């Protein structure tokens, strides 16, 4: 059965490549756009008060299949395949391939080569940019923005430790559907952190549990290693070592480092035991064991 979160199909319109696989009144090829602003909400319905499913970052590509008269566009993110509604004003035609990505939690874009100028935009980690030239300590983008050079890395740059990336988000407010240090949810934190390390990752925790890593015995937690993912129904955390995790969670309404045993006990008391533990081949594997 097709997952509606990842299948660009509605009764009235669907992607052309799904013709013969789903039922729809019409099939369209779609048109590629990129996200023009810092963050664009991908919503369940074409309304500003509809549920936030996820966010698209500056420079991300999206294939649009439908538009309505109210300023909303329906399409699929190219990065993780998520389907939903985006504000039409957040889209622009691609102007070339990105050359750099934001590697800092947040960075500021200035209208000229001075940090004394009022910033024109705030960009989140993972945002994609086309850098035209360097000017002093700044990188100048195709938009004419000036960004601190030390906050950017080449498009092929990969962090060596995705757990260290996740730890950078400690204190970030919890936001359902969030995908930046302005607000993030549990699976968004995993996705951002793995993406920074060059690992393609699904968006939601159930997709991550299904698609990432090798399953370990969920009842044998004494050998947890740095980078292991611990799953509950609707939640995921990242092991920092054998004793602690980092996770974005609604209990603290923030990204938090927490004792693993205490978190497991608390979450179990609220109705969910551990459903899986997955080990990623890219994860660091050096950690001492503790009886959990």
């Amino acid at each position: 059965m097709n997952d509606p979160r990842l299948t660009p199909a509605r009764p009235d319109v669907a992607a052309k490549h799904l013709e013969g696989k789903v039922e729809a009144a019409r099939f369209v090829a779609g048109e590629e756009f990129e996200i023009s602003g810092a963050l664009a909400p991908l919503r369940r319905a074409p309304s500003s008060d509809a549920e936030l499913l996820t966010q698209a970052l500056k420079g991300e590509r999206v294939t649009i299949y439908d538009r309505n008269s109210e300023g909303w566009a329906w399409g699929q993110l190219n990065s993780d395949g998520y389907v939903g509604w985006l504000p039409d004003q957040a889209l622009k035609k691609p102007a070339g391939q990105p050359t750099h990505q934001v590697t800092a939690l947040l960075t500021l874009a200035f209208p000229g080569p001075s940090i004394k100028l009022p910033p024109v935009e705030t960009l989140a980690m993972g945002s994609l940019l086309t850098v035209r030239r360097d000017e002093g300590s700044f990188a100048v983008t195709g938009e004419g923005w000036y960004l601190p050079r030390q906050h950017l890395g080449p498009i092929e740059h990969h962090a060596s430790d995705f757990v260290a990336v996740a730890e950078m988000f400690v204190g970030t407010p919890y936001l359902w559907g969030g995908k930046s240090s302005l607000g993030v949810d549990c699976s968004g934190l995993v996705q951002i952190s793995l993406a920074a390390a060059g690992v393609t990752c699904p968006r939601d925790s159930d997709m991550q549990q299904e698609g990432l890593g090798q399953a370990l015995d969920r009842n044998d937690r004494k050998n947890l290693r740095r980078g292991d993912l611990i799953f509950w129904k609707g939640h995921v955390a990242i092991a920092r070592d054998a004793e602690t995790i980092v996770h974005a969670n609604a209990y603290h309404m923030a990204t938090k480092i927490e004792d693993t045993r205490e978190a497991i006990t608390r979450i179990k008391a609220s109705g969910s035991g551990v459903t899986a533990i997955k080990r990623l081949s890219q994860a660091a594997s050096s950690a001492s064991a503790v009886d959990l």
Side-chain angles (χ1 to χ4, degrees), residues 60-225:
E60 280 197 67
R61 301 296 172 90
V62 56
T63 303
I64 297 299
Y65 297 101
D66 189 32
R67 283 185 161 92
N68 68 15
S69 61
E70 305 299 320
W72 291 87
W74 180 76
Q76 183 172 35
L77 298 179
N78 292 8
S79 58
D80 59 19
Y82 222 108
V83 175
W85 290 90
L86 291 154
D88 217 350
Q89 64 183 10
L91 306 173
K92 70 174 185 178
K93 289 299 294 180
Q97 291 300 314
T99 61
H100 289 73
Q101 59 180 309
V102 175
T103 54
L105 275 180
L106 288 173
T107 191
L108 299 174
F110 299 93
S114 173
I115 60 173
K116 296 180 180 179
L117 296 171
V120 295
E121 191 61 276
T122 302
L123 299 176
M125 177 184 286
S127 298
L128 303 176
L129 300 160
T130 302
V131 172
R132 300 300 186 193
R133 69 181 191 276
D134 289 340
E135 188 170 321
S137 61
F138 293 94
V140 186
T141 72
E143 295 88 354
W145 296 345
Y146 289 71
L147 286 92
R149 196 66 183 80
Q150 62 264 45
H151 288 176
L152 304 180
I155 200 72
E156 65 274 10
H157 170 83
H158 295 152
S160 60
D161 180 4
F162 84 90
V163 185
V165 176
E167 290 168 339
M168 294 170 64
F169 285 81
V170 169
T172 295
Y174 181 84
L175 174 66
W176 179 273
K179 210 171 78 172
S180 82
S181 61
L182 297 173
V184 70
D185 64 13
C186 65
S187 55
L189 179 66
V190 172
Q191 187 184 50
I192 295 167
S193 303
L194 283 173
V199 180
T200 301
C201 176
R203 178 58 178 88
D204 291 345
S205 61
D206 64 321
M207 301 175 185
Q208 293 169 356
Q209 179 176 329
E210 177 67 23
L212 293 177
Q214 177 183 356
L216 306 179
D217 183 351
R218 68 181 181 181
N219 297 311
D220 179 14
R221 302 165 198 147
K222 62 185 177 182
N223 293 312
L224 279 172
R225 295 177 181 175

